[in-house]
Amino acid sequence: MKRISFIILISGILLFLLINRWVDYKAKELTDVLHAEDIIDVSYTYVPQGSDQFENKELGNPQALKELLEFLSQYQVKKTGLRDFESQYPDEQLNLHFIYEDGIPTYSSLFERDVVLVVLTGENQYKVINGPLDQEWVEEFKKKYLMGGNGQ
């Protein structure tokens, strides 16, 4: 009887782990992965022309945040694992630091064409299923809200 109980317990644990992994690696909306409903602001990390120092520019505009989250909501992503990423398109990167209402510190998340690195509880890499990200939209957004029209 103990042996059967032990086998049932181990089987239940394995089943739970397999289901958990399947849920973690199935396709999801990008905004679900980012927990967009809890985001209250975003800062943009960039290197100004002629400098080797990173700078951050906080968005500070609720309408712009809404536009950004609506843009990101159109993309589906699938987790590919932990970070195993080398930039293929460095000119098409968008580094964003999400600020959440609960005050939990987060690190920058990197968006590049068809790869998203999200750092919330770990450094996870996602493939954009219905990508690539619309770089024209990204550049227009940066010019309009983040770079004040100077195009850095």
Side-chain angles (χ1 to χ4, degrees):
M1 187 66 172
K2 284 185 177 185
R3 184 180 176 116
I4 292 174
S5 297
F6 180 73
I7 291 172
I8 291 172
L9 177 66
I10 295 299
S11 298
I13 291 171
L14 287 175
L15 183 62
F16 172 77
L17 293 173
L18 287 173
I19 290 172
N20 192 32
R21 183 165 174 86
W22 176 77
V23 167
D24 198 31
Y25 280 79
K26 74 177 190 166
K28 300 174 184 171
E29 286 189 25
L30 178 54
T31 49
D32 289 342
V33 171
L34 296 172
H35 303 283
E37 67 279 359
D38 297 329
I39 296 173
I40 58 172
D41 205 356
V42 175
S43 67
Y44 168 59
T45 304
Y46 65 100
V47 178
Q49 290 178 343
S51 174
D52 60 354
Q53 299 293 316
F54 287 101
E55 290 190 20
N56 287 314
K57 175 155 175 69
E58 198 163 303
L59 191 56
N61 179 332
Q63 179 59 34
L65 177 61
K66 183 179 177 185
E67 282 183 43
L68 176 64
L69 294 178
E70 284 176 4
F71 168 72
L72 295 176
S73 73
Q74 68 185 320
Y75 293 102
Q76 296 280 318
V77 294
K78 187 171 185 176
K79 187 175 182 179
T80 58
L82 297 177
R83 182 181 175 157
D84 181 24
F85 170 74
E86 287 189 33
S87 179
Q88 301 295 316
Y89 309 97
D91 294 337
E92 297 182 17
Q93 289 185 352
L94 181 64
N95 275 307
L96 298 175
H97 176 91
F98 295 101
I99 302 165
Y100 291 86
E101 61 187 21
D102 61 8
I104 294 176
T106 61
Y107 298 96
S108 294
S109 294
L110 173 74
F111 300 82
E112 181 182 287
R113 194 176 275 204
D114 59 354
V115 176
V116 178
L117 299 178
V118 178
V119 183
L120 290 172
T121 57
E123 198 164 325
N124 295 309
Q125 181 171 321
Y126 294 83
K127 174 153 182 53
V128 179
I129 297 170
N130 59 337
L133 297 177
D134 182 351
Q135 284 306 125
E136 190 174 310
W137 187 96
V138 170
E139 290 304 316
E140 286 299 313
F141 182 83
K142 284 171 25 178
K143 286 177 186 173
K144 183 176 179 181
Y145 294 114
L146 296 170
M147 304 317 305
N150 65 7
Q152 285 185 337

